[in-house]
Amino acid sequence: MPPMNDCKLLELDTQQTWDDTRFPIAYGPENPAMDLNDTVAWVGENRESLLQQCTRHGAVALRGFPTDTVESFDQVIRALEVENFPYERSLSNAVRINRTERVFSANEAPPEVQIFFHHEMAQTPLYPQYIFFYCEIAAEQGGATPLCRSDVLYEKLQQRCPDFCAACERHGLQYTNVMPGSDDPTSGMGRSWQKTLGVETRDDAEARLRTLGYSFLWQDDGCLKAVTPPLPAVMEVSPGRKTFFNQLIAAYCGWKDARNDPSKAIRFGDGSPLDADAVAVAIELSDELAYDHAWQQGDVVLLDNRVAMHARRSFVGTRKVVASLAEMQTQSLVTA
């Protein structure tokens, strides 16, 4: 693909090629004197192409632009003219802190905690079509954001585990999560039930969960155990292009804290257990297909959340990566 006006294609370490796509496709400024106003104007002029490339390639990386602050990242996102999906409206279980109206910390989990591959909020009825990342401070060691093309993974998984993939498409997945009564910053899934559900009282929490189709059980310590309705495990992004759109790997590997046991976190939508061998293959494939984005300060990564999964490596030192969500979508419940 030729570079867009005023910018050039970049080669990144470990960048991948799948058919006629690059993962991620990357751009940098042609003119080193390009300022923030020029950058915002360039993003606005090319917004349609950038978003289309997010879907086609899975991710677009912007490196070397004068995006020196969280506020400049906010301006870039606004230039894309996508509908903001405020984090407080999400059902995500991660603790996050808002920096601007549109931008929040990617995760407040401690640096030694690894966050495994997932599609953002695929374990809830509401999810963002796009997720955008920005590096404010790169870690001294580690801290890369692994990305994985979920369509490529699913194609390979179908070849190796066809029965498992058929069951995923037929039954979907059901997730169980125990939410604390107050934020637990030591956990990657420590957001309180009040903030997760956007409520203050137990009655309001129960009403929200019933509306969403969840079942639930209050715990003696004030925590709330919630079980989702059957949600899709596979998404057809375009005719014939399917992605492994779920939180299976993250839930199976990483939903572990004082309240949650990964072995109880996820099942097929009909209540039957997952095939552990097939899950191991999915995890193996995600590791093989991972592109690790080694952050540089000022980097921006635009992700189509339906196409690419993301994760987080553990790190040493200070690391500040922030995120923004856009274009809230609603999943259809699985009834088969």
Side-chain angles (χ1 to χ4, degrees), residues 3 44 136 145-146 170 177 187 192 215 219 238 292:
E136 184 179 14
T145 293
R170 182 166 60 251
N177 174 36
S187 169
S192 70
S215 59
Q219 309 293 289
S238 59
D292 272 23

Side-chain angles (χ1 to χ4, degrees), residues 133-312:
F133 292 109
Y134 168 75
C135 180
E136 184 179 14
I137 300 175
E140 294 173 17
Q141 298 177 30
T145 293
L147 306 176
C148 176
R149 274 278 294 268
S150 193
D151 54 344
V152 177
L153 183 152
Y154 191 60
E155 182 179 350
K156 294 180 179 295
L157 187 62
Q158 284 181 303
Q159 294 169 0
R160 293 182 58 180
C161 304
D163 292 343
F164 175 73
C165 291
C168 284
E169 294 196 31
R170 182 166 60 251
H171 300 301
L173 297 171
Q174 198 165 33
Y175 305 86
T176 298
N177 174 36
V178 180
M179 297 174 275
S182 59
D183 282 352
D184 176 8
T186 67
S187 169
M189 47 186 301
R191 195 181 187 200
S192 70
W193 58 261
Q194 296 94 328
K195 290 183 180 178
T196 300
L197 300 172
V199 299
E200 295 184 1
T201 69
R202 288 194 174 199
D203 287 345
D204 289 342
E206 293 178 7
R208 181 89 197 279
L209 289 171
R210 289 192 184 100
T211 298
L212 293 167
Y214 283 59
S215 59
F216 57 88
L217 180 66
W218 291 102
Q219 309 293 289
D220 292 340
D221 58 2
C223 296
L224 176 57
K225 179 180 179 180
V227 182
T228 70
L231 297 172
V234 177
M235 177 184 291
E236 190 165 25
V237 177
S238 59
R241 187 187 188 193
K242 294 182 177 180
T243 64
F244 197 51
F245 184 81
N246 53 62
Q247 284 246 359
L248 186 151
I249 294 172
Y252 203 87
C253 297
W255 282 17
K256 183 178 182 180
D257 59 17
R259 297 165 299 279
N260 291 278
D261 178 352
S263 67
K264 301 176 182 178
I266 185 168
R267 302 177 78 82
F268 281 123
D270 64 353
S272 60
L274 303 181
D275 179 343
D277 291 337
V279 172
V281 172
I283 295 168
E284 173 193 327
L285 288 171
S286 70
D287 289 339
E288 290 177 0
L289 296 171
Y291 156 80
D292 272 23
H293 190 79
W295 290 105
Q296 295 182 13
Q297 195 280 328
D299 278 1
V300 174
V301 173
L302 315 174
L303 209 67
D304 187 320
N305 183 46
R306 305 167 305 169
V307 177
M309 294 188 284
H310 65 279
R312 188 192 77 173

